[in-house]
Amino acid sequence: MRKKLGRSINLVKQDAPPSPSGQLVFERQFPAGNEAKNEVLEELLDALQSSGAISGETEQVRMRLCLDEGLVNAVMHGSRHDATKTVSVRAWVSAENWSILIEDQGQGFRDEDLPDPEAPENLLEESGRGVHLMRNMMDSVNYWRGGRSLLLSRKRNTSA
């Protein structure tokens, strides 16, 4: 049986995630087969920082890691680097929190199929820790559309 680690994620069966509250501060769609992921990540972090959603170097480093994992999973595992498929990213900021919606055109996944990154046989693997990392860095991690839509939410850091 797979041990649950960190905060839980919810794999929701409904067709579409709810619309997050707050102001839409970022929206971008890019081909899954090119290097646009890094550019999108930088633009997303700039938008979050400019809107005051994240502040301070420590918070920015944490969010860079977490958001990069979400984008990598959408490009690599979801769309399988297929340039004919796209990944879309949207970000909302409210007074209380911020939310990121990452959607890919892949096959999706089942949470119970993810290997335990802390199992002895997985400790030396080069990948397989992204969802675990997101679970521990975000306040809310929810998957929709069978794992093809990821909604990440975090309370705003009010201490600068």
Side-chain angles (χ1 to χ4, degrees), residues 5-160:
L5 303 168
R7 293 181 178 101
S8 66
I9 66 169
N10 296 313
L11 192 55
V12 181
K13 295 179 193 232
Q14 296 169 330
D15 288 335
S19 294
S21 63
Q23 177 184 1
L24 182 66
V25 297
F26 184 83
E27 187 169 20
R28 178 93 185 264
Q29 190 171 13
F30 63 97
N34 67 16
E35 296 300 318
K37 179 203 64 84
N38 292 333
E39 181 181 320
V40 169
L41 176 62
E42 294 304 321
E43 290 174 6
L44 175 57
L45 287 167
D46 286 348
L48 291 171
Q49 198 165 24
S50 296
S51 68
I54 58 174
S55 61
E57 189 175 335
T58 301
E59 181 75 359
Q60 186 168 0
V61 168
R62 286 182 186 151
M63 292 307 95
R64 175 182 299 278
L65 287 170
C66 186
L67 297 172
D68 187 54
E69 288 298 336
L71 291 170
V72 163
N73 286 349
V75 170
M76 182 187 311
H77 302 296
S79 299
R80 304 209 183 273
H81 296 284
D82 182 346
T84 65
K85 295 181 178 179
T86 58
V87 174
S88 67
V89 183
R90 287 178 281 177
W92 293 264
V93 176
S94 73
E96 298 81 31
N97 60 31
W98 54 268
S99 300
I100 309 293
L101 179 64
I102 301 171
E103 298 183 289
D104 65 63
Q105 296 177 327
Q107 295 297 312
F109 72 98
R110 295 177 342 146
D111 182 39
E112 59 267 20
D113 292 339
L114 295 176
D116 177 355
E118 293 184 355
E121 67 272 15
N122 296 326
L123 290 177
L124 299 177
E125 292 295 322
E126 291 183 22
S127 66
R129 292 170 186 79
V131 173
H132 178 68
L133 180 76
M134 288 186 288
R135 284 178 178 153
N136 287 285
M137 291 190 158
M138 300 303 294
D139 294 322
S140 175
V141 177
N142 293 288
Y143 285 90
W144 303 82
R145 297 176 48 241
R148 295 184 312 270
S149 294
L150 167 62
L151 183 61
L152 302 167
S153 297
R154 184 161 166 86
K155 292 179 183 165
R156 288 181 64 167
N157 182 3
T158 55
S159 60

